Amino acid sequence: MMKKTPYIIICFAALLTLLCACGEDRWPAYYEYTADNLWIDGVMREHYLWVEDMPASKELTSNYFATNDAFLSAVKNEEDSYTSLDSLTTIKADYGMTYNMLKLSDEDVYAGLVTYVEPGSPAGIAGIERGTWIMEVDGAGITSENSSKVLKDGSDHLLTMGRYTVVTDETGEETSYISAYAYAPLGEAAVYERLDVPYRNVLTVGNHTVGYLLCNRFSAESADIIAASNEFANAGVTDVVLDLRYNSNSTLEGMQLLASVLAPSSALGQTLATVKYSSKAKPEWPTTLTLSTPQGGSNLNLSTLYVLTSSNTKGLPEHLINCLKSYMTVVVVGSTTAGEAYATEVFDNTEFGLQLRVVTGVVFDASGTEAEFTGFTPDVRVSDTSSPSAVLPFGNAGEALLAAALQQMAE
């Protein structure tokens, strides 16, 4: 988080005297040193569930000059483990991919297993796919000496990409290796649009027509969710695998929209969830989420939903799982979710490079029961990177978590 200068710390007592001198408002002169924490304070006083418990502003004079983390600790409820600060990454230039750097042999040979690629990013434009391996950068191999520095400069590079192959000989013994198959001209790090639904697919598996949907964010304005609902309906989809592995920043209105696409048609018109806010709630904040046919979209009338999760599945995606369980069977595949039992909202500030997640409300399901969970334990526990051969592009029937979900359908 942002640090204050030693000068400010040393001269702090003098500043307090000046701020109060002669009854004159001196805060504008110190905006440079307090603006970030004043922003945090303002957001929380408008949206925070426990705003009544926040110290009065006049009691926080010294805290406004503290680090961001220290200020947040001073103003939030001591039992609140969900409100948090992070660096704002959504507008930073990057390559648009993540990878795990792994040692391949005792001869100091490393390679990066690509685990995520954002369409439209430099990595996506270069044709890099999930499950491929970065073997060389600009013709140079990766070793223990340079493995931590690979692709950290944001410059353009020529990557040698490899694929993982398993070969079985005549005795049944398996040998695995990674072999180069292509060069990928990776452009320099850039700012690009991050999609709510970066991947979707329709698969035919036995007598099931399966719609696969990787949803990294759901919001009321998500045209991708509407388009996917119509595409799945037109394809006669009988089952849906909803991939929420990377979803931690969604909205209540988006939760209502996605649930309305997935729920049984018999549930339309009924309450999905209710939300209770602080006494300072605004009239336009949604207090009742109702299942209804999506405007411009389709209800898929499902009786069972398969959800792929990870420890990054956080907040409203977890509430979506919890609330849909009132109307349908939800099979969770993957890893235990984060366990964020309140409604939260994320606020970005590009000036300070901060992202503030604030607890805004308490969520109740259709029966009026307050959400209480510490993370959903999967019905089928699967690690998505434990087997290199199963780290495949999203929507591929052999990809570890999707394959486990498809197996559940067949049983």
Side-chain angles (χ1 to χ4, degrees):
M1 288 300 122
M2 191 176 298
K3 301 290 185 182
K4 308 303 177 183
T5 65
Y7 177 80
I8 290 301
I9 296 173
I10 294 170
C11 299
F12 177 65
L15 287 175
L16 288 182
T17 302
L18 288 171
L19 287 172
C20 302
C22 304
E24 183 178 349
D25 182 8
R26 299 297 184 98
W27 279 107
Y30 302 103
Y31 179 82
E32 176 184 354
Y33 310 111
T34 62
D36 46 0
N37 286 334
L38 287 169
W39 171 73
I40 294 170
D41 185 75
V43 171
M44 292 188 66
R45 291 190 190 280
E46 182 176 0
H47 296 274
Y48 193 41
L49 175 63
W50 297 289
V51 64
E52 292 85 356
D53 298 332
M54 290 178 62
S57 297
K58 63 183 180 181
E59 299 173 9
L60 294 169
T61 303
S62 62
N63 301 96
Y64 289 116
F65 292 89
T67 64
N68 302 138
D69 288 329
F71 179 79
L72 185 62
S73 295
V75 297
K76 72 177 185 177
N77 187 299
E78 61 182 14
E79 297 183 1
D80 175 13
S81 60
Y82 304 105
T83 297
S84 61
L85 273 168
D86 200 355
S87 297
L88 180 60
T89 59
T90 56
I91 63 165
K92 289 184 178 180
D94 61 40
Y95 292 119
M97 68 175 172
T98 60
Y99 55 87
N100 297 342
M101 191 62 70
L102 303 172
K103 187 176 183 180
L104 301 184
S105 72
D106 294 332
E107 298 178 357
D108 199 25
V109 177
Y110 284 70
L113 171 59
V114 178
T115 55
Y116 184 86
V117 177
E118 182 77 30
S121 69
I125 294 170
I128 298 171
E129 294 184 327
R130 183 176 190 271
T132 56
W133 295 74
I134 302 169
M135 301 180 67
E136 295 179 341
V137 179
D138 299 323
I142 303 173
T143 67
S144 57
E145 184 178 350
N146 64 11
S147 61
S148 63
K149 304 173 185 177
V150 168
L151 302 182
K152 301 299 183 184
D153 60 0
S155 301
D156 60 300
H157 296 282
L158 182 65
L159 307 184
T160 303
M161 305 302 298
R163 285 199 172 103
Y164 185 86
T165 303
V166 178
V167 176
T168 304
D169 64 19
E170 61 275 6
T171 66
E173 184 176 349
E174 291 186 347
T175 303
S176 61
Y177 60 90
I178 300 170
S179 58
Y181 76 95
Y183 291 108
L186 180 65
E188 64 182 18
V191 177
Y192 52 88
E193 181 184 5
R194 287 168 167 80
L195 303 176
D196 289 354
V197 180
Y199 296 95
R200 64 178 185 261
N201 191 21
V202 176
L203 306 90
T204 300
V205 182
N207 60 348
H208 299 270
T209 302
V210 182
Y212 168 82
L213 189 73
L214 175 62
C215 182
N216 289 349
R217 182 176 186 270
F218 43 78
S219 65
E221 302 80 25
S222 182
D224 285 345
I225 292 176
I226 292 295
S229 74
N230 290 329
E231 178 183 324
F232 289 177
N234 292 334
V237 160
T238 57
D239 302 88
V240 169
V241 178
L242 176 63
D243 195 338
L244 299 178
R245 273 178 275 189
Y246 304 97
N247 195 315
S248 61
N249 181 10
S250 293
T251 70
L252 286 163
E253 295 90 343
M255 173 176 154
Q256 176 178 255
L257 169 63
L258 185 53
S260 295
V261 168
L262 301 169
S265 59
S266 59
L268 299 182
Q270 300 189 52
T271 297
L272 172 68
T274 55
V275 188
K276 179 182 178 182
Y277 304 96
S278 76
S279 60
K280 294 189 177 182
K282 295 184 178 181
E284 64 267 24
W285 293 0
T287 55
T288 301
L289 306 183
T290 304
L291 295 165
S292 59
T293 302
Q295 185 175 359
S298 303
N299 166 255
L300 299 178
N301 188 28
L302 303 174
S303 59
T304 301
L305 175 67
Y306 301 85
V307 181
L308 310 185
T309 63
S310 73
S311 59
N312 294 317
T313 306
K314 178 189 296 185
L316 292 179
E318 295 178 281
H319 289 290
L320 175 71
I321 294 170
N322 189 54
C323 292
L324 279 177
K325 285 186 173 183
S326 297
Y327 297 105
M328 62 196 304
T329 300
V330 181
V331 179
V332 179
V333 177
S335 305
T336 303
T337 62
E340 192 173 273
Y342 290 92
T344 61
E345 188 170 352
V346 174
F347 299 87
D348 294 341
N349 189 301
T350 57
E351 178 183 357
F352 308 127
L354 294 176
Q355 186 173 82
L356 175 63
R357 177 182 291 272
V358 179
V359 173
T360 56
V362 181
V363 181
F364 301 84
D365 65 17
S367 68
T369 303
E370 179 180 340
E372 293 182 359
F373 49 76
T374 57
F376 284 101
T377 301
D379 300 291
V380 182
R381 186 176 293 278
V382 182
S383 171
D384 64 353
T385 58
S386 61
S387 174
S389 62
V391 181
L392 297 171
F394 297 113
N396 185 307
E399 191 274 320
L401 269 65
L402 179 54
L406 296 176
Q407 180 62 38
Q408 290 298 300
M409 290 180 199
E411 293 181 354

